[in-house]
Amino acid sequence: MASGCRDCSTCTKPGLAKLGQDLTVGFLYLCTAFIAYMVKKGGMRHCPQCKHLLSNHARRADGSFRD
């Protein structure tokens, strides 16, 4: 399995931006007592390749992925 995909805005970010995002999200999870984590993992659709949210993936006008 690949570590990321080219259509995902999270996978294509520079390393420093990913670090900042990870720290911010981790702080959010701590502030909400991991309720935000449960909502994200249980109630939202994820990419089967990279496990990030599908809403962060680039799509064409017809809804298909740009791959």
Side-chain angles (χ1 to χ4, degrees):
M1 178 184 280
S3 63
C5 59
R6 64 182 179 200
D7 288 334
C8 180
S9 62
T10 305
C11 290
T12 57
K13 282 184 183 177
L16 190 58
K18 282 184 192 178
L19 177 64
Q21 182 181 12
D22 289 345
L23 290 173
T24 304
V25 169
F27 181 72
L28 170 74
Y29 290 159
L30 285 174
C31 290
T32 62
F34 287 92
I35 294 171
Y37 178 80
M38 290 183 277
V39 169
K40 179 185 177 230
K41 292 296 182 184
M44 302 175 113
R45 295 183 57 181
H46 293 80
C47 174
Q49 184 177 1
C50 68
K51 307 294 187 228
H52 291 126
L53 293 175
L54 276 177
S55 61
N56 292 340
H57 287 64
R59 296 179 186 247
R60 294 187 189 103
D62 65 358
S64 63
F65 291 111
R66 294 197 184 213
D67 274 334

